[in-house]
Amino acid sequence: MENTLALLFGLTMLSMSATSRMKSYLKMLSIQGLLLFLIFYAFMEQFNALNFCFLAFETLGVKMIIIPLFIWRIIKKGKIYRDTSPSIPKFYSLVAATIILFSGFVFSVFLKKMLINTNPLSFGVALSTIIISLFFITIRKKVITGVIGYIMMENGIFLLSLSVEKEMPIIVNMGILLDLFIAVFILGLLVKRISRTFEDNDMDSLKVLKDSVDDN
Amino acid sequence: MIIEFLLIFPLIGSILLLIFKSRNIARPLLFLYSISYFLTSIYLCYCIHSNIKIGGLLKIYFAVDPLNIVFLLILSIVFLAVSIYNDGYVKVSDMKKSKLSYYSIGILLFIFSMTGTILSTNMALSWVFIEATTLTSAYLVYFERTKQSIEAAWKYVFICSIGISLGFVGIILLTIATADINSLFFSELYNHSAYINKTWLNLAFVFFLIGIGTKVGLAPVHSYLPETLSVSPAPISALLSAVLHNAAFLLIIRFFHITVLAGNSGYGRTLMIAMGVMSLFVTAVYIFTVKNYKRMLAYSSIENMGIIALGIALGGTAIIAAMIHLVFHSLIKTSFFLTAGNIFKIFKTKRTNEVHSIIKRDKLTGWLWIACFIGIAGIPPSPLFVSEFLMVKEMISSRHFLLMAVFLILLTIIIFGMAKRIIYMSCGKDIPNTHNHDDFEGYADKEEHKPVLLSPLMYVPQIILLLISALAGLYMPGILSKLLEQASLLI
């Protein structure tokens, strides 16, 4: 069961690397939130009410609903519905993502013996998710897609921490969630400011500060 | 309750400021916190020195030990100096009431998150706080609201958040490495280090070093740093450069200590030496191309963090050298950035080639600028001379001759590059300023040559910090060397 869910999670990453529509990115982010909840549920060995409620809130509340809605509001205000002209064509980025995901599977098979108390498949998927997200951030040009890439990466890290079957203290979990939430919030606000000040949403426009340029 | 005080005060202070938004509360509050912070850390240092136990509600999660007390002391001294300077800075800048309140809240929360990072006893918790430092300082970086500050804030938050997330991957991999040790408390990790899986530990250290190294400003993951430090207001640049990098470094040191105890530090040492040399190299290359004096100081920070990484990786006496370097780099760099703030107030520009003969415009600032350079370049009586000398000595005794040659050549290039600019800025003819101030709304002085009167508070902290450093360079007090020795035992 958990392996199927981890595979589905990997597939959402492929779907994200093949599309350029913001709406589909956000849909996939929501699906990832749901999948993370299901994976957490599938991995759960003993029921701990506090931990369950907290993680359910984190996955279903924050990752599935609040963050995508927040990003959608920014997208609507800035009227950026697509990230056109990425650095490399979509087809190649899909191929690259597939190769990374496949390497993740191979890696997990090789490391099976070394992974104690860890689900190898979700571990491999999580690692490849992190790498695909970094790749995604590098090739996309809009600042908002950078934020989406960051959230994808955080989802990958969450999956990684789920695959290692060790519980963090609740205070740490709360801190992590708070940090993620505030980081996305601040990045969102900065995206708004950037589109207002630079009249452009491309990362390339952020070139005011450079060593060779007399910045101020 | 004494540690809790350090953490709770800024939270209550922020709430008060948020409600009242008064100039009369903001300034005394910061000052009161910095004084009490300083006294508290002196007391904590005394407790550590005389083995007095410190209780408290949160003692499981926050505690002092011989290592983090050094970082806490640096934070307290720098914070006190910055808050004194800040008082004069705020007066000269003529900030609005609400802006001042938000600025003060930003500083309080920033100090809170750094304190949390330094004092936390749990790896994951310190990660939470180091991420919080990015978020709390984002507003301070963005404070001047120019095009430049938006870009700098974006790069800062975005790159640091990604870097720190990679650091968290390192922590997760460490949990795999620790297998049956179901804890991330430093003490438990240290005690059970023999049972840690070495392959996973190596992998975890790579992620952690790259991730948290972003926050430290080690090359090649330093790209946001020159932007951030050059754009922030002077007191904030001082805090970022002198304390935040140290706080992040503390985490790397803690992790590195696990690898040392696990008998598997060779890999980590190589990585840290590589990053240290790369930091020196990057600075040596860029120090000649920068046209903004605050950027130059930022590159100098990258260089010094590289030197500290080198010292820790080399081991032996170089560890004590690294600790001396860490302490006095913070003090000298604080005064450097604060003096840069004075220069900006006088000349209204950060362009190096538009700043001439500071000594003629403002004697004290000019001499402070030169004194800070002497300090940071490691020219005696600077204590950085002692630390760099000890490091070279360790390189010779451990037969790292190539490393020593590279280290000395790169240092010489960097010092030459900096000296050229510093002398050009401090001396020379007084050419009228022709800079167009349009991009500094709110800060632009419309009357071109109207002399700016700086508050005396904008000189005092630098003078005191430099005097302390010079005295320590001439004679290191026994208590300080004991403190550093005890700290180096935990590296």
Side-chain angles (χ1 to χ4, degrees):
Chain A
M1 176 66 180
E2 52 260 35
N3 284 349
T4 321
L5 290 169
L7 276 176
L8 279 175
F9 191 91
L11 288 181
T12 59
M13 292 309 294
L14 293 188
S15 150
M16 281 180 116
S17 22
T19 178
S20 61
R21 282 180 194 280
M22 296 292 167
K23 222 174 183 173
S24 358
Y25 289 149
L26 296 184
K27 265 185 203 160
M28 284 301 145
L29 281 185
S30 285
I31 293 174
Q32 283 189 353
L34 178 67
L35 283 173
L36 284 174
F37 171 73
L38 294 175
I39 293 171
F40 154 67
Y41 190 73
F43 278 144
M44 201 169 57
E45 281 169 357
Q46 63 207 96
F47 186 79
N48 175 346
L50 187 66
N51 205 27
F52 179 82
C53 290
F54 179 77
L55 284 172
F57 170 70
E58 181 167 3
T59 47
L60 294 178
V62 177
K63 286 187 191 290
M64 189 179 150
I65 299 167
I66 298 176
I67 288 180
L69 270 183
F70 176 68
I71 302 282
W72 179 239
R73 272 188 55 190
I74 296 168
I75 288 171
K76 255 171 63 180
K77 270 194 184 158
K79 296 192 174 102
I80 340 150
Y81 295 106
R82 292 181 77 150
D83 188 345
T84 44
S85 64
S87 312
I88 56 170
K90 273 183 284 178
F91 174 72
Y92 293 120
S93 65
L94 178 63
V95 172
T98 316
I99 293 171
I100 297 169
L101 193 62
F102 179 71
S103 322
F105 292 146
V106 176
F107 189 65
S108 62
V109 170
F110 275 111
L111 290 178
K112 213 169 187 176
K113 276 184 192 162
M114 280 179 70
L115 287 162
I116 315 143
N117 297 334
T118 306
N119 181 303
L121 189 70
S122 58
F123 180 83
V125 171
L127 272 191
S128 38
T129 301
I130 294 165
I131 298 166
I132 294 171
S133 310
L134 288 173
F135 178 66
F136 182 88
I137 291 168
T138 329
I139 58 163
R140 303 290 151 140
K141 285 201 171 156
K142 300 270 180 237
V143 272
I144 189 75
T145 24
V147 182
I148 293 173
Y150 170 68
I151 300 165
M152 276 154 62
M153 185 175 153
E154 286 289 340
N155 285 347
I157 292 173
F158 190 83
L159 180 63
L160 191 70
S161 68
L162 282 182
S163 66
V164 181
E165 287 154 15
K166 277 187 185 176
E167 263 181 32
M168 295 256 181
I170 194 92
I171 179 170
V172 173
N173 272 332
M174 273 161 66
I176 294 169
L177 177 63
L178 194 70
D179 276 349
L180 167 73
F181 190 66
I182 298 174
V184 171
F185 185 68
I186 289 179
L187 285 172
L189 290 182
L190 284 171
V191 170
K192 264 195 225 170
R193 295 270 165 184
I194 288 170
S195 43
R196 213 182 299 160
T197 317
F198 288 81
E199 292 161 4
D200 198 354
N201 294 301
D202 277 7
M203 290 227 196
D204 294 346
S205 61
L206 299 175
K207 276 181 183 164
V208 186
L209 299 169
K210 257 186 175 179
D211 287 312
S212 50
V213 175
D214 287 344
D215 34 0
N216 36 54
Chain B
M1 283 303 285
I2 202 149
I3 290 176
E4 285 79 354
F5 164 76
L6 292 180
L7 292 164
I8 291 167
F9 188 110
L11 295 180
I12 296 174
S14 309
I15 295 169
L16 276 178
L17 280 176
L18 205 61
I19 297 169
F20 293 111
K21 287 200 182 84
S22 161
R23 200 181 285 267
N24 298 333
I25 297 180
R27 280 166 52 193
L29 194 77
L30 261 189
F31 196 63
L32 181 72
Y33 183 45
S34 63
I35 292 255
S36 48
Y37 200 109
F38 179 67
L39 295 175
T40 311
S41 47
I42 295 276
Y43 174 70
L44 286 172
C45 185
Y46 168 75
C47 291
I48 287 281
H49 202 62
S50 4
N51 288 327
I52 299 173
K53 284 212 165 172
I54 305 148
L57 290 171
L58 298 171
K59 68 176 176 189
I60 308 168
Y61 291 109
F62 302 99
V64 277
D65 61 31
L67 180 62
N68 66 9
I69 192 69
V70 177
F71 290 78
L72 197 74
L73 269 179
I74 300 174
L75 172 56
S76 70
I77 294 170
V78 171
F79 180 36
L80 183 61
V82 165
S83 73
I84 294 171
Y85 179 91
N86 198 49
D87 213 47
Y89 185 84
V90 165
K91 262 187 220 161
V92 176
S93 304
D94 200 21
M95 284 181 206
K96 279 182 190 161
K97 206 169 65 179
S98 60
K99 215 174 171 190
L100 176 65
S101 302
Y102 288 128
Y103 176 74
S104 309
I105 291 173
I107 293 184
L108 283 174
L109 292 179
F110 186 36
I111 298 288
F112 161 77
S113 49
M114 283 196 287
T115 312
T117 312
I118 291 173
L119 293 179
S120 55
T121 53
N122 185 302
M123 179 85 79
L125 193 63
S126 51
W127 179 88
V128 170
F129 276 102
I130 200 81
E131 171 71 17
T133 57
T134 316
L135 306 175
T136 49
S137 52
Y139 173 72
L140 298 170
V141 175
Y142 173 61
F143 185 70
E144 287 183 359
R145 293 173 190 241
T146 55
K147 218 172 177 180
Q148 287 90 345
S149 52
I150 294 177
E151 184 181 331
W154 163 262
K155 285 184 181 168
Y156 175 56
V157 179
F158 191 57
I159 297 176
C160 278
S161 298
I162 291 175
I164 296 170
S165 302
L166 285 180
F168 193 68
V169 175
I171 295 178
I172 296 173
L173 295 179
L174 179 70
T175 58
I176 298 178
T178 52
D180 295 332
I181 314 158
N182 204 359
S183 161
L184 279 172
F185 283 97
F186 293 121
S187 53
E188 302 234 354
L189 289 170
Y190 292 163
N191 290 339
H192 299 96
S193 52
Y195 306 106
I196 296 177
N197 182 307
K198 288 177 183 161
T199 316
W200 285 110
L201 186 63
N202 281 343
L203 199 61
F205 189 71
V206 175
F207 274 93
F208 199 77
L209 183 64
I210 297 286
I212 307 296
T214 315
K215 198 76 193 174
V216 177
L218 288 172
V221 280
H222 66 283
S223 59
Y224 74 94
L225 199 111
E227 271 85 343
T228 310
L229 291 186
S230 71
V231 162
S232 334
I236 307 306
S237 308
L239 281 177
L240 284 167
S241 168
V243 203
L244 179 62
H245 297 167
N246 292 356
F249 218 114
L250 175 66
L251 297 194
I252 294 184
I253 291 175
R254 297 261 201 218
F255 206 118
F256 180 69
H257 190 55
I258 300 171
T259 63
V260 172
L261 291 177
N264 194 36
S265 64
Y267 188 65
R269 279 181 208 278
T270 316
L271 276 178
M272 276 168 76
I273 289 179
M275 283 181 96
V277 173
M278 221 181 285
S279 305
L280 283 167
F281 179 74
V282 163
T283 310
V285 172
Y286 282 96
I287 203 92
F288 290 96
T289 57
V290 282
K291 292 178 176 174
N292 170 329
Y293 54 86
K294 278 187 91 180
R295 276 183 97 91
M296 179 179 75
L297 299 190
Y299 275 109
S300 157
S301 289
I302 296 171
E303 170 221 343
N304 283 293
M305 287 299 131
I307 294 176
I308 296 166
L310 267 179
I312 286 168
L314 283 170
T317 44
I319 291 182
I320 294 187
M323 289 309 284
I324 296 174
H325 205 93
L326 189 106
V327 173
F328 292 103
H329 164 252
S330 297
L331 303 192
I332 299 168
K333 194 45 78 56
T334 306
S335 36
F336 222 157
F337 268 113
L338 297 183
T339 312
N342 288 4
I343 296 174
F344 181 62
K345 286 287 171 212
I346 296 168
F347 288 84
K348 304 276 182 300
T349 178
K350 288 175 193 162
R351 289 181 184 150
T352 314
N353 58 3
E354 284 180 11
V355 177
H356 308 277
S357 63
I358 309 170
I359 293 180
K360 279 185 192 151
R361 289 261 187 116
D362 186 350
K363 214 172 201 168
L364 201 49
T365 303
W367 283 112
L368 274 174
W369 190 240
I370 293 177
C372 290
F373 167 70
I374 291 175
I376 218 78
I379 299 168
S382 166
L384 299 195
F385 172 75
V386 181
S387 61
E388 283 164 11
F389 180 77
L390 283 176
M391 265 180 224
V392 171
K393 199 176 149 219
E394 178 62 34
M395 285 176 201
I396 294 173
S397 59
S398 59
R399 298 186 166 273
H400 284 100
F401 295 117
L402 182 66
L403 181 65
M404 184 191 76
V406 173
F407 177 72
L408 288 176
I409 291 170
L410 290 176
L411 266 190
T412 315
I413 294 173
I414 293 164
I415 292 172
F416 173 71
M418 274 184 88
K420 214 171 115 186
R421 273 151 217 277
I422 299 281
I423 293 168
Y424 175 80
M425 287 169 74
S426 317
C427 313
K429 280 182 193 166
D430 190 1
I431 304 165
N433 198 354
T434 52
H435 178 52
N436 177 14
H437 301 309
D438 288 351
D439 44 344
F440 288 108
E441 294 160 33
Y443 281 86
D445 196 346
K446 298 289 176 202
E447 294 163 53
E448 273 290 324
H449 301 301
K450 187 185 162 191
V452 182
L453 265 183
L454 298 182
S455 154
L457 293 177
M458 292 170 81
Y459 301 104
V460 177
Q462 292 100 302
I463 296 173
I464 294 174
L465 291 179
L466 288 175
L467 272 179
I468 294 173
S469 309
L471 287 175
L474 293 170
Y475 170 73
M476 186 81 71
I479 184 156
L480 183 63
S481 42
K482 196 177 172 194
L483 206 68
L484 296 180
E485 266 171 39
Q486 281 182 345
S488 61
L489 292 178
L490 282 175
I491 298 178

